[in-house]
Amino acid sequence: MTFGNEILAQAEVLSKFTEDAPRLTRTYLTAEHRQAGNFILELMRDAGMAASYDALGNVVGRYEASHANAPTVISGSHMDSVRNAGKYDGLFGILTAIACVKDLSARGKRLPFAIEVAAFGDEEGVRFGSTLMGSRAMAGSFDPEWLARKDANGVTLRQALVDFGCDPEGWRALDRHGKNVVAYIESHIEQGPVLLEAGLPVGVVTSIAGASRARVSVTGLAGHAGTVPMDVRRDALTAASEMILAVETHCRENAGLVGTVGRIEALPGAVNVIPQDVSFSIDLRSGEDGPRREAIGAVRGKIEAIAKKRRVTLGWDAYFESSAAPCDAALQEKLAASIERMDIAVRRLPSGAGHDAMMFPPLCPTAMLFVRCGNGGISHHPDEILAAEDADVATSVLLDFLESFSPAR
Ligand code: HGY
Ligand code: MN
Ligand code: MN
């Protein structure tokens, strides 16, 4: 069986560990996280790695080097998903790294560095809102204030970690600073159409877009849908609607920006009551931090003006920000050389999606390898597809990269 067929078969098994079948949703520190983590643990051990859960519920496997005191290269991605997800977002990066180690182990080959494969438990942030927690801990930027964050049922992250059998205070020991990590490389489906349109199976990522996220709350005045005249209403939902269109318009009018309102809640939510309390999310991204920060400020100003005009009150919780992350130039060259050795044209491209990799530049040189997404590049959607032969090519490129990588002395 080729790398690609085996990876797709494993992704198929993992897709069954979902909290809302037949859709695929797997969130952090749930029974489904445990099912997927246990399956990945077994794959890592079968591939010749020592593997275990860490203090935050990540699953980490380690394949020792040819000699003691060698440096470490980390490769991995996330095992959690968005709601109603595809099968390959995150998981491909874990499974392809395991496939590489399994191949090395089968040949009895050790490299001049240890390989750690990381399956992060929370990249999407669906359950607690704060994202990239596993990779942040490993790269030394975990924020212990997140331990007090609550999920929709009021369960704190701290309690959820204890319930999962983890140690909430153990996050400090996960920081790899001082542990001689010389590179982080993540393989990921592109989640867009560029490689598909270029007719290429893989590409080298140049940078990863940064993101600003806010939770906006709009408070108007509830009232009877039949008796309150239109000119005296303080309708929170129509106000929010104008605000949401302002986000879209601003991003349409400023090249390089993308803005999304993915969630909205309107209360009391009755057909015959004017909405009083509305909350919605904003996710705004750009390949450059300056324009993104400027844009989120401009959008906030426009939303405040709409609130004033419509006599509603506004709450603004800027709960997340990630800076754009450059991929290491030398590692990009090494990845490009591995692709060329397979007689494939090299395509460099930025990532509009965020990834665990964006947390690693403060720790070590960081790179990403994209693999083509079929179906127009659709992702964060059950129609996400990955061809076995593309998974095969990407794994062969990653293996060539690892076998030809010599850590700087
Ligand atoms: O939102 C993102 O870009 C990633 O899927 N977490
Ligand atoms: Mn995703
Ligand atoms: Mn992802």
Side-chain angles (χ1 to χ4, degrees):
M1 188 187 270
T2 65
F3 291 135
N5 288 324
E6 191 166 43
I7 284 168
L8 295 197
Q10 292 162 351
E12 196 57 37
V13 170
L14 284 159
S15 70
K16 305 299 180 232
F17 305 140
T18 175
E19 45 205 83
D20 60 353
R23 303 176 353 150
L24 170 50
T25 302
R26 184 166 54 246
T27 58
Y28 187 37
L29 300 175
T30 56
E32 294 72 21
H33 170 176
R34 174 69 70 188
Q35 287 175 309
N38 289 351
F39 181 73
I40 289 168
L41 260 186
E42 286 316 304
L43 292 180
M44 288 178 172
R45 289 169 179 161
D46 290 349
M49 287 184 259
S52 57
Y53 285 92
D54 70 14
L56 290 181
N58 307 304
V59 172
V60 182
R62 185 171 169 87
Y63 184 68
E64 292 303 343
S66 50
H67 59 283
N69 307 319
T72 296
V73 169
I74 302 173
S75 186
S77 194
H78 59 97
M79 58 179 154
D80 65 321
S81 78
V82 292
R83 296 199 185 293
N84 198 18
K87 295 175 187 165
Y88 310 107
D89 176 4
L91 286 171
F92 175 71
I94 298 163
L95 299 173
T96 188
I98 292 172
C100 288
V101 172
K102 186 176 179 183
D103 189 83
L104 290 167
S105 174
R107 288 184 277 140
K109 185 164 184 184
R110 297 277 170 177
L111 302 180
F113 50 87
I115 299 173
E116 281 195 1
V117 178
F120 297 112
D122 182 66
E123 189 269 351
E124 301 287 6
V126 169
R127 182 174 175 189
F128 292 99
S130 32
T131 71
L132 301 156
M133 286 200 269
S135 38
R136 283 181 189 268
M138 204 174 256
S141 57
F142 183 83
D143 180 349
E145 280 187 12
W146 293 335
L147 292 169
R149 278 189 182 268
K150 291 182 180 170
D151 67 7
N153 300 317
V155 178
T156 63
L157 170 57
R158 178 182 294 281
Q159 187 55 49
L161 283 165
V162 170
D163 296 346
F164 197 77
C166 288
D167 165 17
E169 294 309 324
W171 57 270
R172 291 176 181 80
L174 307 189
D175 182 352
R176 291 307 198 272
H177 279 89
K179 299 283 190 329
N180 202 6
V181 174
V182 292
Y184 174 86
I185 175 156
E186 179 168 353
S187 307
H188 202 287
I189 54 170
E190 181 201 332
Q191 299 180 296
V194 172
L195 294 175
L196 185 65
E197 286 163 8
L200 293 169
V202 291
V204 178
V205 178
T206 54
S207 65
I208 306 164
S212 296
R213 290 183 183 163
R215 191 174 293 107
V216 183
S217 49
V218 182
T219 308
L221 180 65
H224 195 298
T227 58
V228 180
M230 291 308 286
D231 61 347
V232 297
R233 292 185 177 202
R234 289 168 50 217
D235 183 330
L237 187 46
T238 50
S241 308
E242 188 175 345
M243 294 170 185
I244 292 167
L245 287 174
V247 174
E248 182 188 54
T249 306
H250 188 84
C251 292
R252 278 185 190 282
E253 290 173 353
N254 292 273
L257 289 180
V258 285
T260 311
V261 174
R263 288 186 64 165
I264 185 166
E265 188 183 46
L267 299 174
V271 170
N272 57 354
V273 178
I274 301 167
Q276 171 158 315
D277 296 297
V278 173
S279 65
F280 62 88
S281 63
I282 296 179
D283 174 309
L284 197 148
R285 307 191 191 194
S286 165
E288 293 168 68
D289 291 339
R292 172 175 54 80
R293 291 197 179 108
E294 227 171 272
I296 196 78
V299 159
R300 180 172 184 172
K302 289 180 179 176
I303 285 177
E304 285 167 347
I306 293 167
K308 196 160 170 228
K309 179 183 74 175
R310 287 176 167 267
R311 298 179 303 111
V312 294
T313 52
L314 199 66
W316 179 278
D317 171 17
Y319 70 92
F320 174 82
E321 178 174 10
S322 62
S323 301
C327 291
D328 180 79
L331 291 185
Q332 287 187 51
E333 286 317 306
K334 291 181 191 311
L335 262 181
S338 293
I339 293 171
E340 279 164 349
R341 279 194 283 274
M342 296 189 69
D343 287 333
I344 295 169
V346 177
R347 176 65 187 259
R348 288 174 172 75
L349 67 166
S351 172
H355 302 287
D356 289 298
M358 66 203 304
M359 291 296 117
F360 280 87
L363 177 73
C364 62
T366 300
M368 283 196 78
L369 174 68
F370 269 171
V371 64
R372 173 169 45 194
C373 258
N375 222 353
I378 192 168
S379 182
H380 280 189
H381 189 286
D383 290 350
E384 187 179 276
I385 58 172
L386 169 64
E389 48 276 12
D390 289 348
D392 214 44
V393 168
T395 305
S396 304
V397 167
L398 181 62
L399 187 55
D400 181 277
F401 171 89
L402 291 169
E403 291 198 79
S404 53
F405 181 64
S406 49
R409 292 278 162 230

